[in-house]
Amino acid sequence: MSTRHVLLGLLAAGPCHGYDLKRQYDARFPEARPLAYGQVYTTLQRLVRDGLAAVDGTDSDGGPERTLYRSTDEGSRELARWADEITAPAPFVTNEIFAKVVVSILVAAAAARSGQDGPDAVAHLREQRAAHMERMRELTAIKTEPGADLSTVLSADYALVHLDADVRWMTTTTARIDTLTAEVNAA
């Protein structure tokens, strides 16, 4: 997710402080990777530097001085361009779970050559599946809570679909582990 574009999108509603942008981000993207306050302010500084946002003044509201930011016309054009752009499917399939399975096979083969026990790729897949299933239960509980807003439900649905795809992949890989092991060890 493009933090700069998300912040520009939040600024499209009107001028805002960094603190409020962070709170809006958390509310609108409840299951997304957390956004640190430092990242918000660093991104805002870059947006100002690049002419996509501008400082709209400062105030203190009886507390520390806070800077108010607004989107510029150039920022609005950049946001519209980004929003209209089709997100290309990832050109490379990189999956940490798959990498761990292959590395487990490699390490197990090396350990076996020296008469030792190595990692068990099938056991790893079983444990990973259990972790995925637990997260799926958590997300299902979150999205079915009474009063859950649509952003939360849709975000949880998105994550659930991806986790389900991983679980199906793990099932298929477990069924094919002997063939994969032979291929990995032959290379």
Side-chain angles (χ1 to χ4, degrees), residues 29-155:
F29 306 100
E31 296 301 316
R33 178 173 293 165
L35 185 61
Y37 283 105
Q39 188 177 3
V40 170
Y41 290 107
T42 300
T43 303
L44 285 168
Q45 289 171 356
R46 288 183 186 136
L47 290 171
V48 169
R49 177 198 68 199
D50 296 342
L52 303 175
V55 173
D56 201 42
T58 58
D59 62 39
S60 64
D61 288 336
E65 189 172 274
R66 298 186 318 167
T67 304
L68 193 62
Y69 296 89
R70 66 173 171 77
S71 180
T72 63
D73 290 342
E74 183 62 27
S76 296
R77 285 189 294 277
E78 169 62 18
L79 182 61
R81 183 203 58 75
W82 175 78
D84 287 342
E85 193 175 81
I86 299 300
T87 302
F92 305 102
V93 177
T94 55
N95 183 314
E96 187 172 347
I97 300 167
F98 178 63
K100 286 182 178 184
V101 168
V102 171
V103 168
S104 292
I105 291 168
L106 291 168
V107 172
R113 286 191 296 275
S114 63
Q116 298 175 349
D117 289 332
D120 181 348
V122 172
H124 177 76
L125 286 168
R126 189 177 324 111
E127 291 168 15
Q128 186 66 58
R129 183 181 189 285
H132 270 56
M133 296 302 291
E134 177 59 29
R135 182 63 180 144
M136 290 172 79
R137 283 188 287 278
E138 291 169 2
L139 289 166
T140 299
I142 288 168
K143 77 177 220 161
T144 58
E145 282 182 13
D149 60 50
L150 188 55
S151 292
T152 298
V153 171
L154 292 174
S155 181

